[in-house]
Every structure is written in structure tokens, then in C-alpha cells.
Amino acid sequence: MRPPAAKPLVSTSSSSYNQHEPRPENPLLLLASSRAAKLSLGCPLLDRLLSGGLPAASVTEIAGESASGKTQLCLQLALLAPLSPLSSSSLFLCSDLPFPLRRLRLLAPKSHPDLLDHVFVAAVHSPSDLLSLLSRAQHHLSHPTHSPHRLPTRVILLDSIASLFRADFDASPADLKRRSGLFFKISAKLKELAYRHQCVVVVTNQVVDVVEGNTGNTMAWSSGRQVSPALGLSWANCVNTRLFLTREVGSDGGSTRRHMKVAFAPHLPERTCEFVIRRDGVFGVEPAQR
Amino acid sequence: MPKINVDAAVSKSSAKGAAAAFCRSNDGLYMGASAVVFKGITDPAILETLACREAMALADDLIINRLQVASDCKQVITDVKEGSLGKFGPGPANTSCFAVSHQTKGSTERRNPATARRRTLAPRLPVRADSQARALRHGHAILAGSLPPFVRGPLPPASAVHLRRRAAAPSFSAAPSRLAPAYFGRDMKNEIQESVDILKAVKGANKFKGAEEPSCVLKGAQNAWDMLSEEQSQKHISTGSSDLNGILGGGIHCKEVTEIGGVPGVGKTQLGIQLAINVQIPVDYGGLGGKAVYIDTEGSFMVERVYQIAEGCISDIMEYFPHHHHKASSGKGNLQPEGFLSGIYYFRICSYTEQIAVINYLEKFLGEHKDVRIVIIDSVTFHFRQDFDDLALRTRVLSGLSLKLMKLSKTYNLAVVLLNQVTTKFTEGSFQLTLALGDSWSHSCTNRLILYWKGNERCAYLDKSPSLPVASTPYAVTSKGVRDAATPNCKRVRIM
């Protein structure tokens, strides 16, 4: 991004925004809409964990090991979006190729076969690819085509951010710096999209093993080892909410117990909820009676 | 023994006066010269005295120990000889250490009828014809008048005099010139005396202009006593946790920039929102009763959470001031969380250009909304951590922003709170956590608070403060907002 001259440039976002003078907003007027604009997870227990669902105008990260349910959750969200109060179609940016089309088909309820019409899938191969795609998405969202069958896109899912950065980057300090510069750029773009069009943005992330114990909320126990979300502290600064999906093999021999934990969120206390992955989706369960 | 001729001139039309001093050795060789323009002084007697003083200065610079000063103003000469201060104060007192003589002016040419009362005497120097000497002097005066006026007040600062000297000396001579030495040493006595002169003159000038604060010497300045009493009566913005207030010296200070940094999830935004609510606590309940400006760069401002914190704040007020609630003072009415929400001016910005624009706009905004007492920026460095092609531009922009914010806090008497992220820095062979954009940003704030995790507990560490020692304390984030860390042993009284 080339830094411009002293005068602020007209941004590339939707043209209806007045560039002459910044205008303050009154949070009281935003209260009602922010309470309504939540993407429910489809399960009342998980919704209670999130105080209603995933918030709009905010970037939520779902971090977990492989096969912990991240992609499943994203697919579920994509199918829930048209039926939720948001009433939107979703944009699924897939970097973990191939896209799990079969699973999506299985998840779609038989009663609404046309739900798949509202899921748009795009493949992303690299960070620069993602940035150009986001610019195109921005343009597309600012100029919606009005058609009875096309719902506005208000949900953006990115699966996953870590695999975008697997290649191309060594561990040298210069590359790390370049990588974290890209994090902030991507995050700023996502947040701008989220704010301007009141979108729910969900990003999934993988985990890495942690050797020495980190304090606080960055690490969790999963599958018997200490893990921490990938991409480090820089990326952690880029997301608003982080959900941690962990699993542990139960002591009673064999049964896997999965937990969704709120690692940090500006509006949620740190809570955990147990869930299961079933054929028809991800659902929370009440804590087992001891 | 070298001789310095002095003279003064007045231009009533442009309300300026000039004084010149011209030094020649015994053989008539040119040694140095000086001329000064005084804006606003038109009294010939004062100017003649200043000319004598100028001669003293010239002698200093030329390192002349014994000399003669020749002036054509009898009044000044008699004052010096008699040692009386006259109406010119310390000026003539300085000139008491050398012999003074009169000098003839020659028959003609009064530039100003007011100088007619000077007595004329016989010329002293046989070498130069008087007309030539006079022409030189007049030339000096004319040159002096044409120079741009450096002087703003009634007395010239010493440096302006030196500039003038350099300008005057080289362009002039019929005689082989030996330029005055370039170094300007002055001895202490002159310094103190000059400061006293300047102080008296400026005070006098201000009295004429009718300055509002008679106790200040320069317009806009404050003396330290006033500042101290103002500082002691300054209210602080409570953070919600009494321990945290303790290490901050009562809370967040107005007129200061406080930086708060920490890892994600440790509670920076929570603290920011808590401060935005606490600043609105009415004066009756011990708060400032002001409004807040919240500039959100990251999208962490969740309105429902703000509502929750406002409810928590109100419930604590009601618990702490139960009798106030029943008094039902007519103007106040009940405290409602909606009222607290409306008292926050919320700006959401999506790029660094918008951030610059908002901070530039703040000056105008704060001029219109005088009840704003806190400006919170969350977080100030987020948009600057992208790759900038020109790092120097980034540093310039950031320091410009921080200067603006400091100026805003002082001008409008409000607190500026900047929330910052942390990053790892590779120092001394290991990675350490530091605040983002540390080197270019770290000196911009007055106070710095670092939030960190200690085990499972949140702690705050006061890293930089002009008046308080470094200290750390635990705190907690509850559903009501930022509060003291729950200690199982003692029962704490919740103080807002």
C-alpha cells in the first residue's frame, strides 16, 4: 500500500460515505441493531456461550486442531445464514483445498434444498490472492445486484488463514516482518468490509504446539498437548474474538470430548461449552452429569 | 585608546528608533560598528542611552579595555558623569567605567527637529574631516533603518544585536576594514543586568497593553504556583478498580496522555470502555460529569458490552450513594445506561488516513463540544503496522499525531488515553514483549501502563510516569466492568 500525500485520499469503499468530515455516531442508536445482527450457530447452548451468536462488524477466529470441527462449523454457518435474521448469502473463501462439497451437501437440510444457492465459494491460493479477492468482494458488496433470488452477502468465511501462510515464508526476521505486515493488511481489509456492510466475518486457524508454557489465554490443552493458535501474537492482535475448539480423549476409554472455549472477546466472559459433531452438524451439549 | 562614536535617530512616521555605535582606533582605523533598530521607541533621550549601551556591547566584542565613547547628547553624558540613574534606569550605570567626551555635530542637517536641543562641540578627531565622519554615522543609521526589524519588544535580545552587527560592518567602508571578531562572549554582569532590563520593560509594555493576568510576565505564560494549585484541584478519572486508581495516583489524569498496552484479551478495550463510562459519572457522585470521545480503529467496541458496563457502573453508584437516590434532586433525575451510551461520541475508522483525518478534526470538534473530558483511541497503532514503503513517513505521521494529541489534551483540559498492542522484539538474544511501534512512539506519552498476565490473573504495571513510582497491581474484568481483583481474604469496600 503506497502511503499517499498529506491529504487523505478517497477510500476505495462504498461511495456513499462522506469523506469531508468524520461524523461521530451515537452508540445508543447502534444498540438495537447490534443486538439483532447476530449469526446464530443453530444450537441454543452454543448461542448462549456467545450471547446470541457471532456478532456482525467484527472478525471472529475459530482455532483448533485438525478435525476438531472448524470446517464443519463454517459450513453449518454458511447454511444457516439465509434462514437467520441476517437473511444473507455467504461467501466462503477456501484455502484448504479441495472444498468439502460433499459434506456441505450432507449438511443441507432436506426441507430447503435451495440453500446451496446462497453459498458462494472462491479458492484462495496466497495472501495477495486473498487481498485482491477482498477488493473484488468490496466492490461487489457496494454494488449489489437486485434480484429476488440473490440475498445480500453478509457472511464471509475464510478457511483457513494459516494455510495461506504455509508456503512462501521462511523463519528469517525479514520474512516474519513481511508476514505480520500482511496480517495487518488482511485484517484491516476484513474489518473494513465487516464494518461498512455489517458482515459477520469468520476466520479459521490451525494450532501449533507450544513448548514452554504461555500464561493467560493463548494456550489450551488439546489431545493431550499444549497448543496455541498459529501465526503468533501478530495475528492475535488482528482478530476481535477468538474461539478455541479443543478435544480430549476421555479418561473413561475412548470417547472424545470436545469443548468450545471463548479465549478472548470484547463482549463475552471466558466460558466453555461442550459440543459434539453429528451428521447434521455441530451442537452443544449440556455438561455431563457427574 | 580606541574611540566609539554613538548616535541615535528617530523615524516618527514608522515609529522606530535606531542607535548606532562606530569604533575606530587611535590612528583612525576602522575596528567595528553596530547598529540597532528599536521598534516602538521614539524618545530621543532613551535612544541616545541605548546607543551608549550599544557602544559598551561593541567594546565587549572587540575586547577593548580602555576606550572613549563620544555622544552628542548632553543629557546622557551628564547622567553618566553624575552617576544618577535618570529616567533611563540601569543604562547609564553601565557606562560609568570610562571617560566620556562630547562631540561636535557640525553645523547642519538635523534629521529631526527634536534633536535640536543637543549642544554642539568641537570635533575631536583631527584625522577625519567631520563631514566624512558624520556621513559614515548617518550611513549607519540609514542602513540600520532599512534592516528588517527583528525586535518585537521594547528591548532587543542580545542575539538580534549581533546579527545586525554582522550585517552592518562589512558593507561599509571607505577605510580598510578589519571586521569585528566573530565570537560573542559576554560576561555575567551584563547578562543579569540585561535580563532585569528586559523583564522590567516587558512588564511595562504588558501593562500598557492591558494584560489579563498581571502576575504573568509574558502573555500566555503561567507561573509555577498557579500551575501547582491547578494540578492539585484536578480531578482524576476512575478506572473502576481502586487498586489501579492507587498506582495511577487517583486515576487517569486530565491534561496528560496515557498509553495502555497489553496482549490481546488482557482487557485494554474493557478498560477503555470503563473509562468512557466513568468519565460521565455526575459531579455529585464524585465524577467529572463529562463526555467521552471513543475512536475505534479495530472494531472492538461492542455496544452491548458498553451497555453492560454502564449498568454495572450505575448499580455501584446506587450501592455507594443510597441516600442520594432518594433525595431526587430536580435537575439530575435517574441515572440510566442509555444516558451513558449517548454520552460517548463514537468514531469508527478503517484506515490510517481516516485516523489522521479524525485527529485533525478533533480540534474543531472539541472546540464545539466543551464537555468532552476524555479521548480514547483503540488502538492507536493498528493501522500503522501494515507494510509501509516509506518508514520515515510513518514516523513523521505518528509523531505528528502524538504532538497533536498532547496539544489537544493541554488545550481542552482532557485526558487522552491511547490503547496499544504488543509485539515481540528480538533484543539481547531473546524475544521480549514490547509495545508496538515502540521506538518511534514510546516517548509520545506522559504515562504508560502495561497490562499483562501473571498466571491466570490480570496485572497492571505502571511503566512510565512523571510523578509516580513504578508499581504493579492485579485487577479483574467482571461482567460489571473493570474492578479490583477478588481477594478471598479481606472484604474490600468498592470505591468508585
Side-chain angles (χ1 to χ4, degrees):
Chain A
M1 176 162 141
R2 284 230 75 92
K7 285 200 279 282
L9 294 177
V10 179
S11 77
T12 55
S13 67
S14 62
S15 50
S16 58
Y17 187 71
N18 184 10
Q19 288 291 325
H20 295 297
E21 244 180 29
R23 278 165 304 134
E25 296 170 45
N26 186 347
L28 187 59
L29 305 173
L30 301 171
L31 185 61
S33 59
S34 89
R35 276 189 178 144
K38 291 241 171 142
L39 181 58
S40 155
L41 264 68
C43 164
L45 283 167
L46 293 177
D47 285 345
R48 194 154 29 133
L49 175 77
L50 298 172
S51 296
L54 295 174
S58 162
V59 174
T60 307
E61 184 194 43
I62 302 178
E65 293 183 288
S66 53
S68 55
K70 310 188 294 286
T71 311
Q72 190 82 356
L73 199 53
C74 285
L75 295 171
Q76 191 170 326
L77 287 169
L79 291 171
L80 285 166
L83 302 172
S84 73
L86 280 178
S87 178
S88 80
S89 58
S90 35
L91 175 61
F92 199 109
L93 302 166
C94 190
S95 69
D96 260 347
L97 302 165
F99 177 71
L101 186 54
R102 218 166 118 232
R103 250 202 285 180
L104 184 63
R105 282 220 181 94
L106 282 173
L107 276 176
K110 298 290 183 291
S111 47
H112 297 270
D114 58 340
L115 277 181
L116 293 178
D117 287 344
H118 300 292
V119 181
F120 300 102
V121 181
V124 192
H125 306 285
S126 72
S128 42
D129 216 9
L130 176 61
L131 285 168
S132 64
L133 227 133
L134 287 175
S135 313
R136 283 193 356 239
Q138 204 166 37
H139 184 263
H140 174 74
L141 286 173
S142 324
H143 305 93
T145 55
H146 295 286
S147 125
H149 303 293
R150 288 280 277 271
L151 296 170
T153 310
R154 291 287 173 261
V155 175
I156 300 175
L157 305 143
L158 173 56
D159 181 25
S160 65
I161 183 92
S163 37
L164 278 180
F165 289 93
R166 274 287 144 89
D168 312 332
F169 293 94
D170 318 319
S172 64
D175 258 4
L176 284 176
K177 195 160 172 300
R178 187 165 63 99
R179 200 179 76 153
S180 63
L182 279 172
F183 292 159
F184 286 98
K185 209 157 159 185
I186 292 173
S187 165
K189 258 245 153 74
L190 284 171
K191 285 180 177 175
E192 188 180 357
L193 264 181
Y195 170 66
R196 295 241 192 272
H197 306 284
Q198 294 295 303
C199 297
V200 178
V201 178
V202 178
V203 176
T204 58
N205 197 3
Q206 291 157 4
V207 294
V208 291
D209 284 310
V210 173
V211 177
E212 72 237 12
N214 263 334
T215 51
N217 54 10
T218 50
M219 67 103 185
W221 284 95
S222 186
S223 295
R225 46 193 237 271
Q226 271 190 344
V227 292
S228 179
L231 305 181
L233 189 55
S234 309
W235 178 249
N237 280 317
C238 293
V239 296
N240 295 119
T241 307
R242 174 176 277 171
L243 302 174
F244 224 129
L245 302 182
T246 61
R247 81 179 170 179
E248 63 229 14
V249 181
S251 52
D252 52 345
S255 67
T256 337
R257 297 188 56 191
R258 300 176 188 275
H259 290 269
M260 180 187 290
K261 178 177 133 180
V262 175
F264 61 82
H267 60 302
L268 302 170
E270 282 131 35
R271 294 189 284 222
T272 321
C273 177
E274 196 177 341
F275 69 97
V276 289
I277 306 180
R278 295 206 298 252
R279 196 188 180 91
D280 46 348
V282 176
F283 295 101
V285 291
E286 295 283 352
Q289 302 296 327
R290 301 280 156 152
Chain B
M1 190 156 57
K3 179 156 167 278
I4 300 185
N5 287 32
V6 299
D7 201 0
V10 177
S11 163
K12 281 269 182 354
S13 57
S14 52
K16 284 185 214 171
F22 187 84
C23 180
R24 273 175 300 187
S25 73
N26 241 342
D27 326 296
L29 285 174
Y30 170 77
M31 287 176 72
S34 145
V36 187
V37 175
F38 302 98
K39 203 171 176 188
I41 302 188
T42 48
D43 185 357
I46 295 183
L47 287 167
E48 293 284 349
T49 320
L50 290 169
C52 291
R53 208 174 123 265
E54 191 51 30
M56 274 285 297
L58 184 58
D60 258 1
D61 289 342
L62 296 174
I63 320 178
I64 301 170
N65 293 323
R66 285 183 57 80
L67 74 155
Q68 289 178 326
V69 173
S71 163
D72 57 7
C73 177
K74 178 157 189 299
Q75 197 167 358
V76 170
I77 293 166
T78 37
D79 280 342
V80 168
K81 270 191 162 169
E82 288 160 7
S84 71
L85 290 183
K87 69 178 208 176
F88 315 123
N94 278 350
T95 61
S96 60
C97 52
F98 48 82
V100 178
S101 64
H102 294 281
Q103 188 185 11
T104 323
K105 224 177 155 58
S107 49
T108 60
E109 225 168 295
R110 308 277 175 210
R111 289 178 304 286
N112 191 327
T115 61
R117 59 175 187 264
R118 290 184 208 152
R119 270 181 43 192
T120 62
L121 298 169
R124 273 194 62 92
L125 290 174
V127 176
R128 296 216 175 224
D130 187 57
S131 57
Q132 203 171 359
R134 198 179 61 230
L136 277 170
R137 285 205 312 273
H138 292 182
H140 269 287
I142 292 166
L143 180 68
S146 67
L147 288 171
F150 286 93
V151 182
R152 294 279 169 259
L155 275 181
S159 52
V161 166
H162 301 164
L163 287 167
R164 224 98 50 309
R165 192 168 291 152
R166 294 191 99 151
S171 49
F172 235 68
S173 358
S177 57
R178 221 170 57 197
L179 288 179
Y183 103 100
F184 302 110
R186 307 190 72 98
D187 62 278
M188 271 308 291
K189 186 171 157 195
N190 279 352
E191 290 271 359
I192 296 172
Q193 198 61 321
E194 273 202 15
S195 315
V196 168
D197 297 345
I198 291 173
L199 217 54
K200 280 192 188 154
V202 171
K203 260 198 176 150
N206 270 347
K207 281 210 185 77
F208 287 134
K209 289 181 199 155
E212 319 86 52
E213 296 131 11
S215 64
C216 85
V217 173
L218 288 173
K219 191 164 181 301
Q222 260 184 317
N223 62 36
W225 183 252
D226 288 340
M227 286 177 74
L228 179 64
S229 32
E230 204 182 274
E231 207 177 271
Q232 281 170 348
S233 64
Q234 198 73 259
K235 275 193 167 160
H236 302 119
I237 305 174
S238 162
T239 58
S241 152
S242 56
D243 290 336
L244 205 47
N245 287 344
I247 64 166
L248 289 170
I252 302 287
H253 300 252
C254 287
K255 280 195 170 184
E256 285 182 10
V257 176
T258 307
E259 184 182 7
I260 302 179
V263 292
V266 77
K268 304 187 296 290
T269 307
Q270 305 298 308
L271 194 50
I273 298 176
Q274 185 73 60
L275 289 169
I277 298 283
N278 281 1
V279 78
Q280 300 180 53
I281 298 175
V283 182
D284 290 348
Y285 301 109
L288 274 82
K291 300 260 168 81
V293 165
Y294 197 99
I295 300 175
D296 188 7
T297 68
E298 288 187 324
S300 310
F301 186 82
M302 297 288 186
V303 191
E304 303 142 25
R305 180 63 176 150
V306 181
Y307 192 86
Q308 213 179 17
I309 293 182
E311 280 179 327
C313 176
I314 292 174
S315 76
D316 275 358
I317 293 178
M318 292 305 159
E319 187 186 311
Y320 197 65
F321 293 93
H323 40 281
H324 274 230
H325 186 53
H326 297 305
K327 267 186 194 162
S329 46
S330 54
K332 288 297 166 194
N334 285 332
L335 291 173
Q336 291 296 328
E338 285 84 1
F340 278 80
L341 282 184
S342 303
I344 302 178
Y345 297 106
Y346 173 68
F347 291 88
R348 172 82 165 95
I349 63 166
C350 298
S351 70
Y352 80 92
T353 49
E354 287 184 37
Q355 189 169 337
I356 300 171
V358 162
I359 294 180
N360 286 342
Y361 172 65
L362 265 187
E363 178 139 18
K364 176 173 165 218
F365 185 82
L366 292 172
E368 290 162 9
H369 299 87
K370 296 271 188 202
D371 48 357
V372 172
R373 300 307 297 277
I374 191 171
V375 172
I376 301 162
I377 306 187
D378 176 18
S379 65
V380 69
T381 52
F382 175 68
H383 288 288
F384 291 92
R385 295 184 71 187
Q386 302 177 18
D387 266 335
F388 265 68
D389 294 332
D390 184 0
L391 279 179
L393 172 72
R394 187 180 84 170
T395 314
R396 273 204 309 276
V397 165
L398 280 174
S399 26
L401 285 183
S402 67
L403 280 174
K404 274 206 188 71
L405 290 167
M406 282 200 271
K407 188 175 153 221
L408 284 174
S409 75
K410 294 251 185 304
T411 319
Y412 295 102
N413 190 21
L414 43 87
V416 174
V417 173
L418 307 174
L419 302 177
N420 201 356
Q421 300 166 344
V422 292
T423 179
T424 48
K425 191 163 113 170
F426 193 70
T427 52
E428 294 156 17
S430 69
F431 282 100
Q432 287 186 8
L433 285 181
T434 58
L435 292 183
L437 302 179
D439 293 333
S440 48
W441 184 260
S442 54
H443 51 272
S444 316
C445 58
T446 321
N447 305 299
R448 189 180 303 129
L449 192 66
I450 304 204
L451 309 177
Y452 62 100
W453 285 100
K454 196 162 138 187
N456 271 337
E457 210 179 28
R458 292 176 161 93
C459 286
Y461 171 67
L462 183 68
D463 182 46
K464 177 182 175 190
S465 165
S467 53
L468 297 159
V470 294
S472 82
T473 178
Y475 70 99
V477 176
T478 66
S479 60
K480 284 184 172 181
V482 175
R483 295 290 184 267
D484 285 329
T487 47
N489 304 331
C490 57
K491 186 164 193 282
R492 295 201 119 99
V493 176
R494 293 245 172 94
I495 306 171
M496 296 291 286

